């Protein structure tokens, strides 16, 4: 954002203090005279130490948000906004709930399939898309969407400890070559399946080597890499490394078959939920894997009513009973309706402090 060159840079330094004291100070009104910088002389800036993040945050979005759009252009824009919001708030998993009405068993609704395709396209680094994302009519306009610009979407001039790659050639007993978006391929000693996306640990500095394996191209200059878990950047350095996309046939299925096992905390959002006075008043219990569910044009209640598994278990399933917290994150709204892509921005902003607090010790 452009800044006024005449404006002096000012740094605000604070000492560490208990959470209760921080809450008290944040509520005070601080009057600062013009030209005065808050810079206590007895504190010194300390270099930030990277901290790993071991908890995860998932969101569940119904495919009906796409069914409710009138044109492909609008559908693409909505899906792109959801992808951007997920990246901004460091969402680790997006569950697309197929809430299409009268859908035949074994099929996927058009809206859910469209949303999942665009989400996958947006999350994939640009240099891997040609190898990993097949052409499809749903993606006709996706290339014009604003990019996520997430940490794992690296440029050819950037170097980092971790990098995403795709296997371009593999020979049993000799290893594999991977395209990692640089002028040289990366080499790992394991034989991997071709056209598979993997996360590589590349080291703090590039390690170049000359291939000795004849089938992979003896004499070729490559970069040495090691296989890593996709969660390693987040767990070791706290670096956001994109989201995974999962299709769920119903809202109850969103709670199952996830990559983290069971979610130990579930939050539902609805205009008919409990009103919390403000974000600072909301406290979440300790958790490891959080799921936040959003409704479609007819609300989260309709997703619950359309769920055949919940209908068979309960005569009149109530969404409040499915979630640990069922809340309204935008009380006294001025519009009769809040679109799902808008609710996503509002709710994640509202919940951001509560999401982080249990893990700030």
């Amino acid at each position: 954002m452009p800044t006024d060159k005449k404006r002096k840079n000012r740094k605000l330094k604070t000492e560490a203090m208990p959470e209760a004291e921080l809450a008290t100070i944040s509520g005070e009104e601080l009057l600062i005279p013009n030209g005065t910088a808050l810079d206590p002389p007895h504190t010194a800036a300390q270099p930030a130490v990277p901290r790993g993040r071991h908890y995860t945050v998932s969101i569940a979005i119904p495919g009906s948000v796409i069914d409710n759009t009138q044109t492909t252009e609008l559908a693409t824009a909505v899906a792109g906004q959801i992808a951007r919001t997920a990246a901004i708030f460091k969402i680790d998993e997006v569950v697309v709930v197929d809430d299409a009405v009268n859908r035949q068993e074994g099929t996927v609704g058009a809206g859910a399939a469209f949303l999942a395709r665009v989400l996958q396209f947006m999350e994939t680094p640009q240099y891997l898309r040609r190898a990993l994302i097949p052409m499809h009519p749903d993606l006709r306009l996706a290339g014009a969407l604003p990019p996520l610009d997430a940490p794992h979407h690296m440029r050819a001039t950037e170097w980092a400890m971790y990098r995403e790659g795709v296997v371009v050639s593999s020979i049993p007993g000799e290893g594999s070559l991977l395209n990692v978006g640089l002028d040289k391929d990366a080499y790992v000693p394991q034989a991997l399946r071709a056209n598979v996306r993997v996360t590589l640990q590349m080291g703090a500095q590039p390690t170049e080597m000359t291939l000795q394996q004849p089938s992979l191209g003896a004499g070729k200059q490559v970069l040495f890499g090691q296989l890593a878990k996709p969660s390693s950047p987040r767990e070791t350095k706290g670096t956001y490394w994109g989201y995974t996309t999962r299709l769920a046939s119903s809202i109850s299925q969103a709670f199952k078959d996830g990559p983290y096992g069971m979610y130990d905390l579930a939050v539902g959002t609805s205009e008919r939920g409990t009103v919390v006075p403000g974000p600072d008043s909301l406290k979440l219990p300790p958790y490891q894997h959080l799921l936040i569910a959003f409704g479609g044009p007819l609300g989260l209640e309709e997703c619950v009513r359309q769920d055949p598994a919940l209908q068979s278990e309960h005569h009149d399933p109530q969404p409040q009973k499915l979630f640990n917290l069922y809340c309204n994150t935008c009380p006294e709204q001025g519009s009769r309706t809040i679109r799902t892509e808008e609710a996503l921005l509002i709710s994640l902003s509202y919940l951001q402090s509560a999401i982080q607090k249990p893990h700030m010790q």
Side-chain angles (χ1 to χ4, degrees):
M1 179 166 42
T3 58
D4 187 351
K5 294 183 179 179
K6 295 182 180 179
R7 183 180 302 168
K8 295 181 180 179
N9 292 328
R10 304 188 180 110
K11 294 182 180 179
L12 177 62
K13 300 177 182 177
T14 59
E15 291 182 302
M17 59 184 68
E19 184 177 319
E21 294 181 9
L22 281 174
T24 302
I25 290 178
S26 65
E28 295 179 354
E29 184 179 4
L30 300 179
L31 300 179
I32 306 171
N34 291 335
T36 302
L38 286 179
D39 194 6
H42 57 278
T43 60
Q46 298 294 328
V49 178
R51 292 182 56 187
R53 175 168 68 88
H54 295 272
Y55 69 92
T56 65
V57 181
S58 303
I59 57 174
I61 305 288
S64 55
V65 300
I66 301 299
D67 295 325
N68 194 46
T69 58
Q70 291 76 35
T71 64
T72 303
E73 289 80 3
L74 183 56
T76 303
V78 168
Q81 184 175 338
I82 292 172
R84 285 274 305 166
T85 303
I88 289 169
F89 289 97
K90 299 183 179 181
I91 299 301
D92 302 294
E93 180 196 23
V94 181
V95 185
V96 179
V97 179
D98 191 356
D99 60 340
V101 181
N102 300 324
R103 173 173 50 85
Q104 293 183 356
E105 181 140 4
T107 63
V108 178
F114 185 102
L115 179 57
R117 283 193 183 97
V118 175
L119 288 173
Q120 287 181 330
F121 176 88
M122 293 288 290
E123 192 278 335
T124 304
Q126 287 89 332
Y127 60 88
L128 299 181
R129 287 175 182 171
R130 181 172 294 183
L132 296 175
I133 307 292
M135 295 182 64
H136 193 277
D138 288 351
L139 301 175
R140 179 172 58 89
L141 303 172
L145 289 171
L148 298 191
D149 205 19
H152 66 301
H153 286 211
M154 293 184 189
R155 298 164 180 85
T157 55
E158 290 181 298
W159 183 266
M161 176 75 72
Y162 296 95
R163 205 171 186 100
E164 292 295 284
V166 61
V167 180
V168 294
S169 61
S170 179
I171 304 296
E174 295 193 4
S176 305
L177 292 179
L178 300 94
N179 173 20
V180 290
L182 298 171
D183 56 352
K184 294 182 178 68
D185 288 337
Y187 167 79
V188 295
Q190 297 87 351
L192 307 174
R193 190 156 51 93
N195 300 319
V196 171
R197 175 178 167 179
V198 295
T199 303
L200 294 182
Q201 182 176 340
M202 304 293 291
Q205 298 293 331
T207 302
E208 295 191 14
M209 60 175 287
T210 302
L211 279 180
Q212 305 296 325
Q213 295 82 349
S215 300
L216 290 176
K220 183 178 181 179
Q221 291 292 312
V222 295
L223 299 167
F224 181 75
Q226 294 178 300
L227 295 178
K229 297 187 299 181
S231 59
S232 292
R234 168 176 56 83
E235 293 175 346
T236 59
K237 301 176 72 67
T239 303
Y240 178 62
W241 211 246
Y243 56 80
T244 59
T245 303
R246 176 167 66 93
L247 270 170
S249 58
S250 62
I251 188 65
S252 61
Q253 200 65 31
F255 290 87
K256 307 172 185 177
D257 303 327
Y260 315 113
M262 296 296 293
Y263 302 97
D264 49 3
L265 184 63
V267 175
T269 61
S270 171
E271 62 179 339
R272 287 168 282 277
T274 303
V275 175
V276 180
D280 294 334
S281 304
L282 180 60
K283 291 186 178 180
L284 297 178
Y287 69 89
Q288 202 63 29
H289 304 296
L290 167 65
L291 175 66
I292 307 173
F294 296 84
L298 298 178
L300 193 53
E301 295 79 8
E302 185 63 20
C303 290
V304 172
R305 280 192 289 269
Q306 293 288 342
D307 191 321
L310 294 177
Q311 287 288 350
S312 62
E313 292 178 15
H314 311 280
H315 174 67
D316 185 22
Q318 299 297 316
Q320 305 92 296
K321 298 179 181 179
L322 290 178
F323 302 96
N324 303 99
L325 174 66
Y326 195 64
C327 62
N328 179 0
T329 58
C330 188
E332 301 182 15
Q333 62 193 58
S335 173
R336 292 188 182 91
T337 58
I338 297 178
R339 298 176 63 89
T340 303
E341 65 272 20
E342 297 166 343
L344 194 60
L345 276 167
I346 295 169
S347 297
L348 291 179
S349 298
Y350 189 94
L351 296 170
Q352 190 71 358
S353 176
I355 289 172
Q356 296 175 353
K357 274 182 184 177
H359 303 276
M360 292 179 66
Q361 288 77 10

